[in-house]
Amino acid sequence: MSQLAEKSCVTPADAAAPIPFDNTYARMPEAFFERVKPAAVAAPKLLRVNDALARQLRIDSAFLKSPEGVAVLSGNEIAPGSDPIAQAYAGHQFGSFVPQLGDGRAVLLGEVVDAAGKRFDIQLKGSGQTRFSRRGDGRAALGPVIREYIVSEAMAALGIPTTRSLAVLLTGEQVMRERVLPGGILTRVASSHLRVGTFQYFAARGDVENLRALADYAIARHYPDVRSAGDPYLAFFDVVVAALARLSARWMLIGFIHGVLNTDNTAIAGETIDYGPCAFIDAYRPDKVFSSIDQFGRYAFENQPAAVAWNLARFAEALLPLIADGGAKAIECANASIAAFDDHFNAAYLAGMRRKLGLVREVEGDLELASDLLARMAENGADFTLTFRALCGAAADAKGDAEVRGLFANPSAFDEWAGRWRQRLSLEEQPAEMRRTDMLSVNPMFIPRNHRIEAAIRDAEAGRFETFHELVEVLAHPFDDQPKFADYAKPPRPEEEVRQTFCGT
Ligand code: AMP
Ligand code: MG
């Protein structure tokens, strides 16, 4: 807490600096990180700068594109005001606890405060080895870096809380994976990189003093209102439960599969973080798994809320020494708080489903109506995104049914459902055209389809970057029809279908 308050008053950010750093985490105790410089790279080549995000962060994008800026984004130079560190954290990976993970291929350059007063981390991912690298080379291949840029920016445009991507560059070096690949570095922006695993790191060491310092820091940075609660640490836990329940509802409403929902990939700010073998569903299947490392489907689409709730239970365990002053009541209080996850999730999910279906009133049976549609979509191989998009037209005029029916292997499966939906819509007062407009604003036309991402990566690996740029630009406006780019809305042809995704780290 004190680090945040002190730093901001004592040393105001240097507004004239090309990146106006205003760091707080680097002032935490030494146990929180390793001070480490990014490793130099041979021949950095900038591929893309996110101008709109730079503007929001009060970073001069002309600087980022200059040779000096590229030197900073590649880790070859340290910008004025940057105090680079690799953060320590632990984590449960697929259910097994690893007491030390940490930034093994990432370096936090520092923090900036945006025009609205909100603080963000600026991190390089793929910037070389740190104390936390274990056996890894600290590098990132271009493919995963491009995937993270595309998907994180698409998620932001879809309105889903997420880390962002400020820039991507080629290192001019090769990295060894299953094959030799071009190296890349992503500049990632996050509300913070504090993870459930960051708390587990200190809890596992029995280091209550630093655990408390971390919790105080996180509260001051993300949830300052909880300081006035009777038990601020319990109130902190409550708000994180609520934020992550809402986040997982958003994933379920958009067809997103994170792929690796380990506690170290669960950000307490409630943002989607660490895009690895993530994917969007094409044809709807609740048990869908893409990740090559998820052999047992632990992080399958439909398991995500439960996986997040499980991670929150681990978070509660880490916070126990702080909750109820570490007394006998701590477990009881934490259990009551975890139980609230389902309520938060169900409320957010049902509200989101109502909007997707054009329902303004809250009527008993709405959830069953939505679940019935999903079951029919699953049975009939209907595309998740296109079905909801086509429903927007059908909601205004039954002539639109033809388009939805065509997405179902057996169109009459839709007809049966549509009859009940229309009956339900008849209870609504909203004019049909307004309903359609509302639905179009929550049911996107464009999502980052896996086959499009793979094509962008394939081309980028071959030195052609247009595919990547165009995809990023289309996905910046997911709710607009963009007729010129209609092909981007299409599901893969059978031969284009991506069946598996890889971490590729
Ligand atoms: P992630 O795949 O981002 O969830 O990473 C899990 C852990 O492995 C983190 O501690 C990473 O820093 C580390 N890691 C992943 N790839 C590398 C790499 N190439 N070099 C060093 N550490 C890595
Ligand atoms: Mg991770």
Side-chain angles (χ1 to χ4, degrees):
M1 197 183 315
S2 54
Q3 271 70 16
L4 269 175
E6 271 170 37
K7 171 74 196 188
S8 295
C9 345
V10 177
T11 22
D14 179 359
I19 304 178
F21 284 111
D22 177 26
N23 308 329
T24 57
Y25 205 74
R27 294 164 57 100
M28 296 296 277
E30 290 290 321
F32 283 64
F33 48 74
E34 178 199 19
R35 257 177 233 291
V36 58
K37 287 197 167 52
V41 301
K45 180 173 177 276
L46 190 64
L47 292 185
R48 192 172 182 93
V49 167
N50 188 338
D51 291 313
L53 181 59
R55 216 172 304 123
Q56 183 203 324
L57 298 173
R58 299 188 290 188
I59 297 172
D60 178 6
S61 48
F63 166 77
L64 297 181
K65 292 169 189 168
S66 71
E68 295 75 29
V70 174
V72 168
L73 297 176
S74 64
N76 284 357
E77 294 286 342
I78 305 299
S82 169
D83 193 353
I85 55 174
Q87 291 178 305
Y89 54 85
H92 275 90
Q93 299 189 308
F94 290 91
S96 308
F97 186 62
V98 184
Q100 179 167 306
L101 290 164
D103 289 334
R105 57 162 160 177
V107 167
L108 177 64
L109 295 182
E111 298 147 38
V112 297
V113 177
D114 77 359
K118 194 167 164 355
R119 179 172 296 277
F120 290 93
D121 280 3
I122 311 282
Q123 190 203 59
L124 299 185
K125 192 167 173 185
S127 52
Q129 286 173 319
T130 73
R131 176 153 77 77
F132 308 109
S133 297
R134 294 172 291 163
R135 283 181 301 279
D137 61 2
R139 291 303 188 188
L142 181 64
V145 161
I146 281 195
R147 176 182 287 112
E148 176 153 355
Y149 193 113
I150 295 168
V151 183
S152 67
E153 285 306 301
M155 292 283 272
L158 289 163
I160 297 171
T162 178
T163 61
R164 305 287 306 269
S165 295
L166 180 63
V168 56
L169 53 76
L170 276 163
T171 59
E173 294 176 1
Q174 296 185 321
V175 295
M176 272 302 291
R177 297 295 182 258
E178 270 113 67
R179 57 197 169 98
V180 176
L181 292 165
I185 295 180
L186 181 79
T187 308
R188 178 160 78 178
V189 175
S191 286
S192 83
H193 285 84
L194 301 180
R195 307 147 190 273
V196 166
T198 320
F199 291 82
Q200 292 181 293
Y201 180 84
F202 293 110
R205 284 162 179 73
D207 185 349
V208 177
E209 192 183 326
N210 279 326
L211 177 68
R212 187 182 303 275
L214 175 64
D216 288 343
Y217 177 91
I219 289 170
R221 182 160 172 175
H222 295 296
Y223 306 107
D225 290 352
V226 308
R227 280 184 293 201
S228 56
D231 185 337
Y233 300 112
L234 184 61
F236 168 49
F237 181 63
D238 287 338
V239 288
V240 176
V241 168
L244 286 169
R246 282 195 300 269
L247 178 67
S248 40
R250 300 298 301 271
W251 297 338
M252 303 310 285
L253 291 163
I254 207 80
F256 173 76
I257 308 179
H258 180 283
V260 200
L261 284 178
N262 293 334
T263 58
D264 52 306
N265 294 338
T266 304
I268 56 103
E271 289 177 344
T272 316
I273 193 171
D274 277 6
Y275 293 89
C278 58
F280 274 75
I281 287 185
D282 294 303
Y284 176 63
R285 273 193 56 179
D287 59 351
K288 191 74 189 164
V289 178
F290 286 93
S291 169
S292 62
I293 55 170
D294 193 359
Q295 286 171 11
F296 303 106
R298 181 182 174 95
Y299 300 134
F301 179 70
E302 64 187 345
N303 293 348
Q304 296 186 112
V308 171
W310 191 89
N311 292 348
L312 284 164
R314 307 290 79 74
F315 186 39
E317 283 164 9
L319 291 177
L320 282 181
L322 307 180
I323 292 173
D325 293 322
K329 279 212 149 10
I331 293 181
E332 201 183 310
C333 294
N335 278 337
S337 294
I338 292 172
F341 179 92
D342 285 352
D343 294 338
H344 290 299
F345 175 83
N346 291 335
Y349 182 75
L350 179 54
M353 265 301 169
R354 283 202 174 102
R355 291 193 71 190
K356 285 177 87 69
L357 296 176
L359 310 176
V360 177
R361 294 184 52 197
E362 298 178 7
V363 175
E364 190 75 35
D366 287 347
L367 182 63
E368 290 70 21
L369 187 69
S371 305
D372 183 26
L373 173 65
L374 289 171
R376 288 162 191 269
M377 286 163 61
E379 268 167 38
N380 288 278
D383 184 86
F384 185 86
T385 306
L386 291 185
T387 300
F388 284 103
R389 186 74 179 180
L391 278 181
C392 308
D397 183 343
K399 278 197 218 116
D401 281 15
E403 198 181 329
V404 199
R405 300 180 85 238
L407 298 166
F408 285 68
N410 171 12
S412 65
F414 172 71
D415 298 337
E416 287 162 20
W417 181 83
R420 297 205 288 119
W421 180 48
R422 291 239 151 68
Q423 245 172 11
R424 172 63 185 83
L425 284 176
S426 69
L427 305 178
E428 293 291 327
E429 281 141 38
Q430 198 184 27
E433 197 43 44
M434 198 188 288
R435 172 180 310 134
R436 193 179 81 95
T437 312
D438 276 3
M439 288 174 71
L440 287 172
S441 72
V442 292
N443 293 312
M445 176 85 161
F446 300 99
I447 50 154
R449 300 233 177 223
N450 309 314
H451 65 296
R452 290 283 177 180
I453 298 172
E454 291 307 322
I457 292 173
R458 245 187 346 261
D459 283 358
E461 284 174 352
R464 295 186 302 271
F465 305 109
E466 267 319 301
T467 319
F468 163 60
H469 292 308
E470 189 167 274
L471 183 56
V472 170
E473 278 150 33
V474 172
L475 294 172
H477 308 284
F479 299 107
D480 297 350
D481 276 327
Q482 304 187 69
K484 199 174 132 207
F485 296 112
D487 273 357
Y488 281 86
K490 290 187 181 151
R493 294 190 298 269
E495 72 276 14
E496 288 175 324
E497 197 184 326
V498 173
R499 294 197 168 76
Q500 234 186 7
T501 51
F502 302 87
C503 291
T505 54

